[in-house]
Amino acid sequence: MHAEHDATAPSAPEITFDDFLKVDIRVGTIVSAEPFPKARKPAYVLTIDFGPAIGVKRSSAQITEHYSPEALVGRQVAAVVNFPPRQIGPMMSEVLTLGFPDAAGKVVLVTPSERVPDGGRLF
């Protein structure tokens, strides 16, 4: 587990509110989730609809411990949508799907507690 994923790690350096606003975190609905056998670690390829302004984007997510592809479809998730695309094996990951580590370091997705419009920005 990386130090930044460790629950005992100290907090990150202080930033300004303007720094926070540079990170564009949006909510979207997973429209498909497929196994990603060519990934180095077990992962799924997620296709996520972020609404009309952002559109449909793809993400590689190492979330196989807690989620099945069938259970992911229709679920809303939070993701960073303004990182440059990143090559992950044969696919281009366009957004970073967000989660927290459980006690064993496995990813638990960040989701809104109630349904919200796709594309809404975290504030």
Side-chain angles (χ1 to χ4, degrees):
M1 183 169 12
H2 297 300
E4 66 269 16
H5 299 143
D6 183 351
T8 63
S11 65
E14 189 174 277
I15 62 171
T16 68
F17 189 70
D18 285 342
D19 290 333
F20 170 72
L21 290 177
K22 292 176 185 174
V23 182
D24 193 354
I25 299 172
R26 304 284 181 127
V27 65
T29 299
I30 298 173
V31 294
S32 75
E34 305 292 332
F36 188 13
K38 295 194 176 181
R40 283 196 307 261
K41 295 182 180 177
Y44 298 133
V45 174
L46 305 179
T47 303
I48 307 168
D49 184 354
F50 291 97
I54 305 291
V56 175
K57 302 289 182 180
R58 291 176 13 125
S59 179
S60 171
Q62 296 174 5
I63 56 174
T64 58
E65 293 85 0
H66 289 298
Y67 307 96
S68 68
E70 304 77 37
L72 288 166
V73 174
R75 177 184 290 263
Q76 286 192 301
V77 294
V80 176
V81 299
N82 65 329
F83 283 146
R86 185 172 167 206
Q87 190 76 40
I88 310 282
M91 66 99 46
M92 192 65 77
S93 188
E94 300 171 292
V95 299
L96 175 65
T97 306
L98 300 174
F100 289 108
D102 68 9
K106 308 303 181 191
V107 179
V108 175
L109 292 169
V110 174
T111 62
S113 59
E114 296 183 24
R115 190 127 193 111
V116 295
D118 287 333
R121 185 168 181 176
L122 181 74
F123 60 88

